[in-house]
Amino acid sequence: MRSSCSRCSSVGRSPVAGAKVAIQTPPMRSGWRTIFVSLDDGSQGERGQVDLTFFDDTHEQAASTLVHHFLILARGTVSRRGQSVTVIGTLARNLQKIADAHRAGGTAAVLALLNQPTHDTSDHGREAGDRRQAGAGRLWQASPGSPG
């Protein structure tokens, strides 16, 4: 996907799809979390990888899908800085669920699914200011020895 994104304009909306190969949610000084995801669309080498960044204001729509699913369809704005191309994500969907909908009901079923609102239920009912709190329901994964 990187090959096609590298030809995108500096500011443009783009859907990207692929298998999640990496996800990171490093702590920030502000206390908010930013989710960094790399997807691979199956193309040869690095050309098939695209980097996505999801800021805190998108977590309600995207975090659960990004953390819990392997095949992702994401939408965002292409950001180019020199040779580096990143998609600033606004929405993420479970690509397997979309494929299953297509198999069961064709294009109409996919469109119906994509027109449904997405919400991350792990953060349901919490105010934006409460998201800084660590603990149950947090949006990042911690491994042994990890500060997060």
Side-chain angles (χ1 to χ4, degrees):
M1 188 57 79
R2 181 165 289 173
S3 60
S4 61
C5 279
S6 65
R7 291 189 294 261
C8 295
S9 64
S10 293
V11 178
R13 295 181 59 98
S14 177
V16 292
K20 178 175 60 177
V21 293
I23 185 169
Q24 296 179 14
T25 57
M28 303 293 190
R29 284 186 189 173
S30 65
W32 299 101
R33 289 284 171 159
T34 300
I35 302 173
F36 299 98
V37 179
S38 293
L39 297 181
D40 190 324
D41 71 357
S43 298
Q44 292 290 328
E46 286 187 24
R47 290 195 152 143
Q49 290 190 11
V50 62
D51 296 322
L52 297 105
T53 302
F54 288 84
F55 294 106
D56 191 74
D57 61 340
T58 64
H59 290 184
E60 183 176 338
Q61 297 86 8
S64 180
T65 299
L66 294 172
V67 171
H68 298 292
H69 298 286
F70 177 66
L71 298 174
I72 307 289
L73 171 65
R75 182 174 60 204
T77 303
V78 176
S79 173
R80 171 185 256 141
R81 291 191 176 111
Q83 296 284 341
S84 177
V85 177
T86 300
V87 175
I88 307 301
T90 57
L91 183 70
R93 297 278 189 155
N94 176 353
L95 188 56
Q96 184 62 55
K97 190 173 181 179
I98 294 169
D100 292 344
H102 187 265
R103 228 180 334 275
T107 303
V110 170
L111 291 173
L113 178 64
L114 293 177
N115 286 324
Q116 294 175 359
T118 61
H119 295 289
D120 178 5
T121 57
S122 70
D123 208 29
H124 182 70
R126 293 173 69 188
E127 297 297 322
D130 293 340
R131 289 191 202 139
R132 293 183 187 205
Q133 304 298 322
R138 64 185 182 177
L139 300 176
W140 59 93
Q141 297 172 325
S143 58
S146 169

